[in-house]
Every structure is written in C-alpha cells, then in structure tokens.
Amino acid sequence: MLDSEIENNSSEQKSESEYGYVGEFAKESIYSDAHYTPAGEGPVPPRYYTPPEPKKAEKHEKSGKGGRILGIIALCLVCALLGGLVGASFMGRSLDGRIAALEDARTEQALERITEAAAAGSADSAQTATAVKNDSAALTASAIYAQACSQVVGVTTEVTYTNFFGMNSSSAVSGTGFIVSEDGYILTNYHVIELAAQNDKDVNVILYDGTRYTASIVGYEKYNDVAVLKIDANGLKPVSFGNSDSLSVGDLVYAVGNPLGELDFSMSTGHVSALDRAITSDESGVAINMFQIDAAVNSGNSGGPVYNAAGEVVGIVTAKYASTGVEGLGFAIPINDAVKIASDLITKGYVTGKAYMGVQIDQRYNSLYSQYYNMPLGAYVYSVEDGSCAEKAGLLAKDIITRLGDQDITGYTDLTSALHGFSAGDTTSMTVYRGGEEVTLTITFDEAKN
C-alpha cells in the first residue's frame, strides 16, 4: 500500500514460499428374544397332552353282582378317557389353526411394512434423482476437471543468482494460473512471479496440451498477492466467475493446480471451512482477507482456481498453513476481490482507491537503535515527498510514526499493514515522536498510482 519509494528502500531479501459425510428392512433378520425359536429351527412342541399308560389291574375272580359293578365302572372310565382324547385332539387342531392364522396375519403385516418402506424409499430416490437432474447448475467432479484442463495453466519462472561459492546458479519457480479472457489474460498470485518481476526475468505459461508461451507481466498488487499475465494467443477458454460473497461454510469446492510443481493438473476436493480469515503472508506482511478450505493444497498450487459445484471460480488458492503435522488448512482469495484488482491492473495499470502517504521509511531503524538513542519504536521517516498528503499533514523527516489511526506502529511492516486498511480520501489521526515529545497530526490520504 505504500508508495514505490518505500518499496525501493527495502533491503529485505525475498524467497519464493507458501504462506507461512439401507433401509432397516434390508438388513438380515436377527432374533432378539432368546426365548423365541422360529419354526423349523428347533424341536416341534407337543400339541396335546398324553396321559401316562394305566397300570394293568390284577385279576381277581369275581362273581355275581360285584363283578358286574366293576365292569360298569371300567366301561365308564374307558368312555371318559376316549372322550378326553377326542376333545384334546379337537382342541389341538383348533389351537393349531389359530396359531397358523396369527402367524399368517403377522407375516402379511410385515410384508406390508416392507412394501410401504420400499415404495417410500423409491419415491425419495426418484425425487432426489429428479432434483439433481433438474439442477442444471450442478456438475460432476469429472466434468469440472475436464473443464479445468482447458482453463488452468502452469506458470514457471527461471531465476539466475550467485550462490555461496560465487558461482552463477539458477532455479525454477513453479505455480499455477487460470485464463480469464479468450485473448490470453491470466490471473495468478504475485508471489508466483515475484522473483521474475524483481529481476526482469521471463515468465513461462504452459497449457494442458503442452503448448508453451512466454508471458508478459501486465501488473500486480503485492499486498493483495494478485498478478495479471498476458500471452499472445486467441480462442482460449476462460473461466466463469462465481460470487464469492455467497459462499457458505460447508460448500463443496475443488482446487486444481500443479502441486510441488511436478504433479501437473491435479484436482483435490473439499469444503469451505471458514470465511473471512485475516491471513498474513511472508511476502507482504499485510493481512489479506481469505476463506479457508480443507481441500489439499501444496507448493505449486498457488495461483490456481477454486471451483464451486457449478464449475465457477470463486477463489484463488494462495496459502497453506506451513507446519509439520498440520493438514487441511488452505486459504484462498475471494474471487470478487481479485477480479476488481485484475480489472484495474488491465485497464489502468494500477489498483484504484489505494491509500498513499508520500513518505520514505528508513527500515534500518529497529529496537537496537531505539534502545541506544532512548527513542520509541516506530516507523522512522527518512524523507517526505513534496506536495504529498504527509507534507500537508505536517509530517517531517526524522519524525517517528508511532500510531496511525487506532493501530500502534513499531516499524515499517506495521505502517504498511495499517495503511492497507485505509482507502484514498480517508482521514485519520497520526501520532509521531518529534524532538522528545509526541505530536498528533491529521492526515487525508492520497491515491496510489502504482
């Protein structure tokens, strides 16, 4: 957010890095009642009572009336016994009939319940299938991948440097980008092409079919980590933009890119884990608003698109939490923010609305200087640009800015971060240390033109 003079005064060395979810009747039956044994799986219980066989009476020679009485009694007993047996047999058949009828009724009820449940399940499945079919916005993962292969590109740069032994060496920096216009505009992260931009090196773009182009850098905004490239091509297939403001936690997303710079055109699947995360990168030191995803992303994925279930790009993969043992913490710049920046870079060459102070900060001033000279920590003003808002506010060289708005300033990085929170035309207070005392100034920011 600071002007180019502040940036040019930086002596900090940079290196490419990543930011630091059966129906119950389909189940096999299990008998829960231990006392119940289904028919055919145990001995058949008796259906009637069989009396014990009577003992044979000893023979006695009887005569006359006594013998006839005993015969009558025996006949009665036999008749009673036969009647009981017939009755028992009849009752047994009657009981068998009632039991069989009861079993048939229970079987019919069970069949009815199963049939009803199956019919309900079929209806639900039909409704779900119809809903998916009628939802023309939804795409399968394979369809999104096929689409992405014609929209996603690999981005590589080769940087030559002098190594520890004084010998020239080179290294390749790999990342991802995606096509945003038929005539070759490509969106990616600034940190993917940072070294090439700083060292005036070529940036190469590789399409899915292997076609390679040398790209020109149209522009970039380092504090939002967005860059625009341009290749000399026509008839390309650009992405369709979704609305990142409508994202919700739990939404399905797909990330496509080149993890590790070697596994070209890999797709990972996940969900939106959180929204509005303030993530600070190693490159800019400024907190950027991003949304969190649990799709796997790695070095080389940077600059690649995040697709929603409709195949629309809703974000730019930008960062992952780089710590051993930590997984599923990826972050992406909302596409609504990135598109505005890209549009400004393409049409005007700079991002409109950025706050500008017009000062040069001496980054050598740190805690050692502060302690040695018994002065507060802050952003030490090396010079003030003539006619700038800083000069109009009364800021002087050798002032130490200790507060801007409601944020304490302990150095250049804090000042840059605080300035990033303002827009051109905003007015705020500024506290500076000058000649042993604090002075409060009021500043209205200019607009940065680069």
Side-chain angles (χ1 to χ4, degrees), residues 4 7 12 27 47 104 107 112 114 124 130 153 157 160 168 177 205 266 314 323 348 398 408 412:
S4 59
E7 296 174 11
E12 189 174 337
K27 296 179 181 178
R47 295 299 188 184
D104 290 343
T107 300
E112 288 176 0
I114 294 172
D124 290 342
T130 301
V153 301
T157 63
T160 302
N168 288 334
V205 168
S266 296
V314 292
S323 179
K348 299 182 179 180
K398 300 183 181 181
D408 291 333
Y412 171 82

Side-chain angles (χ1 to χ4, degrees), residues 225-270:
D225 204 3
V226 174
V228 178
L229 308 177
K230 179 68 169 66
I231 61 176
D232 187 13
N234 287 289
L236 301 177
K237 296 181 180 179
V239 301
S240 296
F241 295 118
N243 182 9
S244 56
D245 291 340
S246 66
L247 286 175
S248 299
V249 173
D251 284 355
L252 183 64
V253 291
Y254 304 90
V256 180
N258 306 297
L260 307 181
E262 299 175 355
L263 306 176
D264 299 348
F265 294 90
S266 296
M267 182 171 78
S268 56
T269 307

Side-chain angles (χ1 to χ4, degrees), residues 40-212:
E41 296 186 14
V44 179
R47 295 299 188 184
Y48 54 87
Y49 170 73
T50 303
E53 184 180 352
K55 293 181 180 181
K56 294 182 179 181
E58 294 181 358
K59 294 182 178 181
H60 296 281
E61 291 185 357
K62 305 288 182 182
S63 62
K65 188 176 178 178
R68 290 193 296 271
I69 294 173
L70 290 173
I72 293 171
I73 293 173
L75 180 61
C76 291
L77 288 174
V78 170
C79 291
L81 178 59
L82 292 172
L85 291 172
V86 172
S89 178
F90 176 79
M91 291 301 292
R93 288 193 299 271
S94 178
L95 181 59
D96 285 346
R98 289 197 297 272
I99 291 174
L102 179 60
E103 292 293 339
D104 290 343
R106 292 178 60 187
T107 300
E108 290 178 2
Q109 292 175 358
L111 288 172
E112 288 176 0
R113 290 197 299 270
I114 294 172
T115 302
E116 291 172 359
S122 297
D124 290 342
S125 297
Q127 290 175 0
T128 301
T130 301
V132 171
K133 183 177 180 181
N134 291 337
D135 185 6
S136 59
L139 296 177
T140 64
S142 58
I144 291 175
Y145 179 74
Q147 170 185 296
C149 286
S150 62
Q151 300 171 339
V152 178
V153 301
V155 179
T156 64
T157 63
E158 186 170 343
V159 178
T160 302
Y161 60 94
T162 302
N163 62 22
F164 178 79
F165 300 101
M167 300 174 61
N168 288 334
S169 183
S170 64
S171 64
V173 179
S174 299
T176 308
F178 53 95
I179 300 166
V180 297
S181 72
E182 294 182 355
D183 58 346
Y185 282 101
I186 293 169
L187 199 56
T188 187
N189 283 139
Y190 166 70
H191 76 264
V192 171
I193 54 93
E194 179 180 14
L195 294 179
Q198 292 178 350
N199 296 279
D200 194 26
K201 299 296 182 179
D202 288 340
V203 177
N204 296 310
V205 168
I206 304 97
L207 305 188
Y208 182 74
D209 63 4
T211 306
R212 180 183 293 265

Side-chain angles (χ1 to χ4, degrees), residues 357 389 393 395 401-409 415 418-419 422 425-432 439-445:
M357 288 184 67
C389 61
L395 191 65
I401 303 172
T402 59
R403 192 173 182 84
L404 185 65
D406 58 0
Q407 183 171 333
D408 291 333
I409 307 300
L415 180 61
L419 190 60
F422 294 97
D426 288 348
T427 299
T428 191
S429 61
M430 178 170 57
T431 302
V432 301
V439 177
T440 300
L441 307 175
T442 300
I443 186 169
T444 300
F445 298 109

